Amino acid sequence: AQSVTQLDSQVPVFEEAPVELRCNYSSSVSVYLFWYVQYPNQGLQLLLKYLSGSTLVESINGFEAEFNKSQTSFHLRKPSVHISDTAEYFCAVSYSSASKIIFGSGTRLSIRP
Amino acid sequence: GAGVSQSPSNKVTEKGKDVELRCDPISGHTALYWYRQSLGQGLEFLIYFQGNSAPDKSGLPSDRFSAERTGGSVSTLTIQRTQQEDSAVYLCASSPDTGNTLYGYTFGSGTRLTVV
């Protein structure tokens, strides 16, 4: 069955520290991969996506994610986090022949000053 | 419209009552999706519309749940005889896709449903 696993439900980090939020998906020949972010009391917003081509994709606020086909992973990273990055992050996958996106259970990122 | 609009933003209802949740997608978006977000859970897919038809309604949890879309635009999710386990945030999203998720989704702010 198609699925997405986010291994950490919560990740606490100190401000300006690096962070990695892990995501694995069930294997398939062709996938689209997404990270969505939900800031407190706001709706979900698309952070970045991988469709094809370069395996490293970046967002405008310093996050990046790398598509690793052999490990079926799409981990999200940021070298130095800010208080404003406090949010819940959802990894998602679409099997490109499919009509819907499947979401992981989310990782709550909390930043300590 | 400029974004995906959902109404009401909050709904408190008594167990056993019926509720209707409305979604107004971005103008021109042909694909519309309903998801449910429960406390501590991820997003659970409910149903997908392409135009006015629903090729995939596999996520509807029971026959108490139904949805329709008219004019290729507004969609209504109806929950009959609500139960406490129906309490969740119901999210609507739309996409310009014609059966492909290439663009990702634009989400509305959701309707928080509380069944008491």
Side-chain angles (χ1 to χ4, degrees), chain B residues 28-103:
Chain B
H29 279 194
T30 57
L32 185 149
Y33 306 81
W34 284 98
Y35 284 79
R36 179 168 71 174
Q37 185 178 19
S38 304
L39 189 63
Q41 306 273 334
L43 275 73
E44 176 188 7
F45 169 79
L46 298 178
I47 187 170
Y48 152 64
F49 285 93
Q50 183 62 40
N52 290 337
S53 65
D56 188 348
K57 53 180 79 172
S58 62
L60 295 177
S62 75
D63 58 8
R64 296 187 295 105
F65 288 72
S66 63
E68 65 175 13
R69 188 178 185 194
T70 56
S73 181
V74 172
S75 175
T76 302
L77 177 68
T78 301
I79 309 173
Q80 295 179 310
R81 305 181 302 282
T82 51
Q83 303 295 312
Q84 287 186 328
E85 60 263 28
D86 300 334
S87 297
V89 177
Y90 288 82
L91 294 167
C92 176
S94 71
S95 168
D97 289 341
T98 53
N100 189 303
T101 53
L102 182 67
Y103 300 96

Side-chain angles (χ1 to χ4, degrees), chain A residues 33-44:
Chain A
L33 293 157
F34 307 85
W35 277 97
Y36 279 80
V37 59
Q38 187 174 32
Y39 297 105
N41 301 313
Q42 295 187 29
L44 276 86

Side-chain angles (χ1 to χ4, degrees), chain A residues 7 9 24 28 31 33 36-37 40 43 47-48 55 61 68 73 81 84 89 91 94-95 103 105-106 108-110 113:
Chain A
L7 297 167
S9 60
N24 288 87
S28 178
V31 293
L33 293 157
Y36 279 80
V37 59
L47 184 63
L48 49 76
T55 58
N61 59 350
N68 188 318
S73 68
V81 295
S84 60
Y89 292 80
C91 182
S94 172
Y95 299 87
F103 287 82
S105 55
R108 190 171 299 276
L109 178 62
S110 59

